[in-house]
């Protein structure tokens, strides 16, 4: 199938994909091992390259395009806001920012801090954690800044990924992300994900500032925590006077992140303690409002759960008998297929067959994170392509 008539391709003077890739190699720093396709447009759960080939998108821009591509309500909101006001900085008040903050109060939060990304949100949470402990214990002498210090220690978990800035790198368990840039932030202890007893022993009053945990580990290999584990962390942090930070994404195709806190934590933060030039701008906040208005609808959330369960069962049925498939796991529409060997050959073969998927874990997990608006028919099509492409693993 070619590009729909209303989805034009902007070539900017380039010809075929090969030319774009050659120019890219000469002008950009080589930090990305890109897949060899040049994407030009998208609609719904479909993407199209510059040659007009169609792909079913099961990546969602790495799990951020919740409504897929070109959602009409999202496009209308962004277009209208761009025509009104895009950016003014946080020197001034703006209405979409306050509206979004009020909307996010539907969670546990009393106060919100906006950022441009998940890693920036984690950096803010790191700073807030330290400031909160000093605010809560004003009579404690300032400790030396080194591993084992009072009130400055953080806890993270195995298979974790919290971002690529220096503080977030320190909380990320995979050594290859941080080792080229050492020394990273000291004072981080890594525990086994899901181990309740160890967490209870290590989270201590007068030592632990905050615990960072992903309720669902994406990059780590699609591991879901149990309610019991998360509740045990909540209890241990309460007993120790430490903060508990859930690291989850907030996005809809434009860059935005947020730190949600209680009034007790917010009381420790003063004007000038932290800030951002672009964060919480009118345009991105209007876009996020549109996403939240849709995804927090109970019927929408119910459909995501239903489709996720259906897709997991379908994958287990179609792929489960293959000797290379060890497990199909996940929650909702975040699903991982663990293999007994590297997943990249399967990812490449799927792409050649019109399906875009990712790797995760130690490179042996196929990560499926489609837009939440995906249909059951599209999920069935994805499962068929995966089944058709599985034999490539035998030749690798």
């Amino acid at each position: 199938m070619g590009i729909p008539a209303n989805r034009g391709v902007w070539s900017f003077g380039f010809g075929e994909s090969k030319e774009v890739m050659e120019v890219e190699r000469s002008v950009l720093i080589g930090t990305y091992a890109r897949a060899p396709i040049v994407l030009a447009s998208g609609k719904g759960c479909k993407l199209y390259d510059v040659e007009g080939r169609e792909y079913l998108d099961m990546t969602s821009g790495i799990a951020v395009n919740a409504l897929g591509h070109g959602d009409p309500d999202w496009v209308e909101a962004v277009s209208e806001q761009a025509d009104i006001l895009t950016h003014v900085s946080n020197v001034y008040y703006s209405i979409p920012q306050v509206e979004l903050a009020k909307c996010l109060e539907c969670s546990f939060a009393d106060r919100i801090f906006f950022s441009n990304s998940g890693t920036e949100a984690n950096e803010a949470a790191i700073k807030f954690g330290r400031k909160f402990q000093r605010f809560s214990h004003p009579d404690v002498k300032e400790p030396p800044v080194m591993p084992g210090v009072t009130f400055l220690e953080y806890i993270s978990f195995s298979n974790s990924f919290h971002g690529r800035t220096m503080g977030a790198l320190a909380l990320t368990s995979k050594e290859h992300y941080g080792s080229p840039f050492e020394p990273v932030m000291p004072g981080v202890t890594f525990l086994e994900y899901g181990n309740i007893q160890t967490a209870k022993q290590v989270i201590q009053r007068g030592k632990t500032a905050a615990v960072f945990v992903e309720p669902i580990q994406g990059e780590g290999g699609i591991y879901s925590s149990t309610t019991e584990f998360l509740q045990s962390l909540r209890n241990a942090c309460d007993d120790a006077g430490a903060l508990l930070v859930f690291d989850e994404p907030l996005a809809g195709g434009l860059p935005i992140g947020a730190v949600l806190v209680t009034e007790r934590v917010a009381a420790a933060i003063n004007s000038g303690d932290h800030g951002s030039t672009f964060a919480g701008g009118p345009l991105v906040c209007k876009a996020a409002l549109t996403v939240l208005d849709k995804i927090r609808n109970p019927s929408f959330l119910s459909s995501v759960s239903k489709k996720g369960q259906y897709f997991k069962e379908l994958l287990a049925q179609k792929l489960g008998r293959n000797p290379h498939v060890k497990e199909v796991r996940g929650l909702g529409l975040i699903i991982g297929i663990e293999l007994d060997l590297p997943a990249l050959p399967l990812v490449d073969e799927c792409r050649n067959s019109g399906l875009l998927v990712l790797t995760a874990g130690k490179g042996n997990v196929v990560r499926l994170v489609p837009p939440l608006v995906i249909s059951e028919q599209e999920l069935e099509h994805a499962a068929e392509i995966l089944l058709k492409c599985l034999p490539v693993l035998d030749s690798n």
Side-chain angles (χ1 to χ4, degrees), residues 247-265:
D247 182 6
E248 284 287 7
L250 168 68
L254 288 176
I256 187 170
V259 184
L260 281 61
V261 302
T262 62
E263 193 69 56
R264 182 163 164 259
V265 176

Side-chain angles (χ1 to χ4, degrees), residues 21 53 77 83:
M21 290 185 277
R53 288 185 289 264
D83 191 48

Side-chain angles (χ1 to χ4, degrees), residues 11 23 43 143 145 161 181 190 192-193 195 278 309-310 330 351 356 375:
S11 66
V23 173
K43 187 63 178 176
V145 180
F161 179 83
F181 312 105
F190 290 97
E192 181 186 3
Y193 188 72
N195 190 318
F278 286 100
Q309 187 61 36
Y310 173 70
R351 184 182 64 250
L356 301 182
S375 67

Side-chain angles (χ1 to χ4, degrees), residues 3-11 40-42:
I3 298 173
N6 63 339
R7 308 298 293 176
V9 175
W10 296 355
S11 66
S41 66

Side-chain angles (χ1 to χ4, degrees), residues 199-211:
K200 285 181 177 179
Q201 294 169 3
V202 176
I203 300 171
Q204 298 177 23
R205 180 171 292 276
K207 182 179 181 182
T208 305
V211 176

